[in-house]
Amino acid sequence: MKELAAELGKLLIAQNHTLSTAESCTGGGIASIITAIPGSSQYFHGGIVAYANEVKMALLEVQSETLEKHGAVSEQTVVEMAKGAMKSMKTTCSIATSGIAGPGGGTADKPVGTIWIAVACNERIVTKRLEGDFGRAENIKNTIKNALSLLIKTLK
């Protein structure tokens, strides 16, 4: 995964972008892999681990109506998280994640392994839904890999 983070860093530098993260189910894993790359301070401003809905609302400006209507694990929520991260950390790009990593917490509508990712650059926002339960650690690892890959694809 370090290879993906390094590739992302090169793209961000080449395109003069800055990056922030808003993570729920990945618990800071994306920020961790990004900051493991030497020189990431050139483009990475910081990340917010917003596990609680109160943090999503207070720090990332996720609307209470969004959470009530769609839930924390939804496309609408990760889009607002991504926008909020860019705004609060003054970046041109962001990555946001929210999901049910497991082993518990799933419902019939949103079983364990249901995860939403949003990547944003300026006004462009791309989302992706992941499904399938491979165990908590693998669900988180898979989310980080998909999030980095989605932003790379978006920048290309």
Side-chain angles (χ1 to χ4, degrees), residues 22-97:
E23 302 181 65
S24 185
C25 63
T26 47
I30 296 170
S32 178
I33 199 81
I34 288 168
T35 57
I37 304 303
S40 57
S41 60
Q42 293 177 65
Y43 51 85
F44 187 66
H45 284 200
I48 294 171
V49 177
Y51 225 58
N53 285 346
E54 293 79 16
V55 176
K56 289 176 180 73
M57 291 185 291
L59 299 181
L60 297 170
E61 298 185 11
V62 174
Q63 300 301 304
S64 60
E65 297 81 20
T66 302
L67 293 166
E68 288 166 20
K69 186 173 180 181
H70 303 286
V73 181
S74 66
E75 182 176 34
Q76 294 84 353
T77 295
V78 291
V79 165
E80 289 184 16
M81 289 171 68
K83 289 178 179 178
M86 288 192 320
K87 184 177 178 184
S88 68
M89 289 179 262
K90 298 177 176 36
T91 60
T92 58
C93 298
S94 68
I95 298 173
T97 61

Side-chain angles (χ1 to χ4, degrees), residues 78 95-97 115-119 126-128 130 143 146-147 150:
V78 291
I95 298 173
T97 61
I115 295 166
W116 277 98
I117 300 166
V119 298
V126 179
T127 62
K128 183 173 187 172
L130 303 179
T143 302
N146 272 277
L150 188 59

Side-chain angles (χ1 to χ4, degrees), residues 3 5 52 60 65 71 95 97-98 102 120 124 133 145:
E3 300 81 22
L60 297 170
E65 297 81 20
I95 298 173
T97 61
S98 188
R124 184 169 184 212
D133 181 15
K145 182 179 175 187

